[in-house]
């Protein structure tokens, strides 16, 4: 209706070429024509462009189940991030890219932020860090009833431990592996490691606890999952953060808003509801 009204108004002006108006009338008509085009162009601009200052573009890598392209809400950490910004009046769009590209595009301010990353001092040259969004805990998965127990790396002497290709499980673990306190066998996927664990090819397998149980539910049969548990002592504990580009004109303000809402979510207990929903399987897509 607004567009129709504008066109009717423009029609009155465009066709006002009655004799006797002279140069003054022509100038007025030309002004009306220009105004008409301006109104028409504004009316045709998509709402998303007009509200672009309320949209945030966040580059991410695929890291199921925390952030995953094929999960509901793109995973529970992506859902948490979206809701935190929504509480501040922003709409978040996630752009799934290879991790290196996700980092580069955000550093060049082609994105408003990137998520989520562990702390490295050199990244502070390019980014401001948020407060910790996620605390990760790596544990040893093992077969139930096999009597596995450990408190120190010396307790792992003689064991065969599964690992992922190219993964580091922290400086202490890496040093123990280098010293050959145990045998470390690396394979391409978590699923492979769990299957090797079931048949006794390896004794234990270190993995982030949420990632591990997500993989078990997704890739193994229930009777296989029932045979596996984890030791409560962490192998490694990490924190992950959102990164906001230092060159971004709004980055400092966004960091402050994000941190404020994140603390509110944590203090109110809402933060933990995302983890609870994940544990209930609410982010899994049917057929996965």
């Amino acid at each position: 209706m607004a567009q129709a009204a504008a066109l009717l108004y423009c029609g009155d002006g465009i066709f006002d070429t009655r004799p006797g108006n002279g140069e003054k009338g022509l100038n007025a008509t030309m002004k009306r024509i220009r105004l008409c085009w301006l109104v028409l162009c504004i009316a045709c601009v998509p709402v998303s462009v007009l509200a672009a200052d309320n949209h945030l573009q966040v580059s991410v890598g695929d890291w199921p189940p925390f952030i995953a392209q094929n999960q509901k809400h793109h995973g529970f950490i992506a859902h948490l991030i979206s809701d935190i910004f929504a509480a501040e009046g922003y709409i978040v769009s996630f752009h799934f890219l290879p991790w290196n590209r996700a980092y580069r595009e955000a550093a060049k301010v082609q994105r408003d932020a990137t998520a989520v990353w562990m702390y490295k001092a050199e990244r502070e040259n390019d980014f401001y860090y948020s407060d910790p969004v996620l605390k990760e805990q790596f544990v040893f998965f093992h077969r139930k009833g096999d009597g596995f127990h450990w408190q120190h790396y010396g307790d792992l002497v003689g064991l065969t431990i599964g690992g992922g290709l190219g993964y580091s499980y922290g400086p202490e673990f890496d040093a123990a592996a280098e010293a050959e306190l145990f045998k470390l066998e690396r394979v391409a996927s978590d699923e492979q490691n769990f299957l090797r664990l079931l048949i006794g090819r390896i004794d234990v397998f270190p993995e982030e606890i949420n990632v591990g149980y997500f993989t078990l539910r997704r890739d193994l049969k229930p009777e296989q999952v029932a045979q596996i548990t984890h030791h409560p002592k962490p192998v490694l504990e990490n924190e992950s953060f959102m990164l906001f580009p230092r060159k971004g004109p709004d980055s400092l303000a966004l960091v402050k808003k994000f941190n404020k809402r994140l603390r509110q979510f944590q203090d109110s207990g809402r933060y933990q509801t995302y983890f609870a929903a994940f544990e209930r399987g609410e982010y899994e897509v049917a057929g996965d």
Side-chain angles (χ1 to χ4, degrees), residues 76-125:
F76 70 103
I77 293 300
H79 192 195
L80 168 67
I81 291 169
S82 293
D83 284 355
I84 287 172
F85 278 120
E88 288 292 323
Y90 294 97
I91 298 172
V92 175
S93 295
F94 291 100
H95 297 266
F96 284 83
L97 302 167
W99 282 101
N100 288 339
R101 184 179 166 193
Y103 184 98
R104 289 196 307 270
E105 289 195 2
K108 293 177 181 178
V109 202
Q110 294 172 350
R111 308 294 178 189
D112 298 293
T114 181
V116 286
W117 300 81
M118 291 187 291
Y119 177 81
K120 286 188 177 181
E122 59 266 29
R123 290 176 180 156
E124 293 197 82
N125 296 325

Side-chain angles (χ1 to χ4, degrees), residues 146-280:
D146 67 0
F148 173 72
H149 182 75
W150 85 290
Q151 288 298 318
H152 308 284
Y153 280 94
D155 298 329
L156 306 177
V157 171
L159 297 183
T160 300
I161 298 178
L165 296 176
Y167 273 58
S168 169
Y169 299 97
E172 290 185 73
F173 181 97
D174 294 346
E178 184 70 22
E180 298 183 347
L181 292 183
F182 48 80
K183 183 179 180 181
L184 179 60
E185 294 186 353
R186 297 181 181 271
V187 294
S189 72
D190 290 352
E191 180 185 5
Q192 286 179 276
N193 270 311
F194 281 123
L195 291 173
R196 286 163 58 82
L197 181 60
L198 282 170
I199 63 176
R201 293 288 297 274
I202 58 176
D203 299 299
V204 294
F205 166 48
E207 181 54 277
E208 204 285 327
I209 189 169
N210 293 295
V211 174
Y213 281 110
F214 172 80
T215 301
L216 286 170
R217 289 197 304 268
R218 182 189 62 187
D219 297 333
L220 273 68
K221 299 176 182 177
E223 58 269 26
Q224 293 174 313
V225 175
Q227 299 177 52
I228 295 176
T229 188
H230 73 277
H231 193 279
K233 178 179 170 58
V235 178
L236 174 68
E237 292 182 304
N238 273 322
E239 293 178 325
S240 288
F241 308 81
M242 285 203 70
L243 303 182
F244 297 83
R246 284 188 175 272
K247 296 179 181 178
D250 300 320
S251 288
L252 278 176
L254 287 173
V255 171
K256 291 179 181 178
K257 290 178 180 180
F258 182 84
N259 287 344
K260 179 190 71 175
R261 287 291 180 178
L262 175 60
R263 286 192 294 270
Q264 289 179 359
F265 274 43
Q266 291 168 336
D267 292 344
S268 68
R270 182 175 176 182
Y271 175 88
Q272 196 57 39
T273 64
Y274 297 86
F275 292 82
F278 158 71
E279 291 172 1
R280 293 193 298 268

Side-chain angles (χ1 to χ4, degrees), residues 44-55 57 91 93:
C44 293
V45 172
V47 174
S48 60
V49 175
L50 292 174
D53 57 344
N54 289 329
H55 284 67
Q57 310 293 325
I91 298 172
S93 295

Side-chain angles (χ1 to χ4, degrees), residues 134-150:
L134 172 66
K135 293 185 178 181
E136 304 144 33
Q137 185 181 90
F138 286 75
V139 296
F140 281 122
F141 286 87
H142 63 91
R143 294 178 300 275
K144 291 180 179 178
D146 67 0
F148 173 72
H149 182 75
W150 85 290

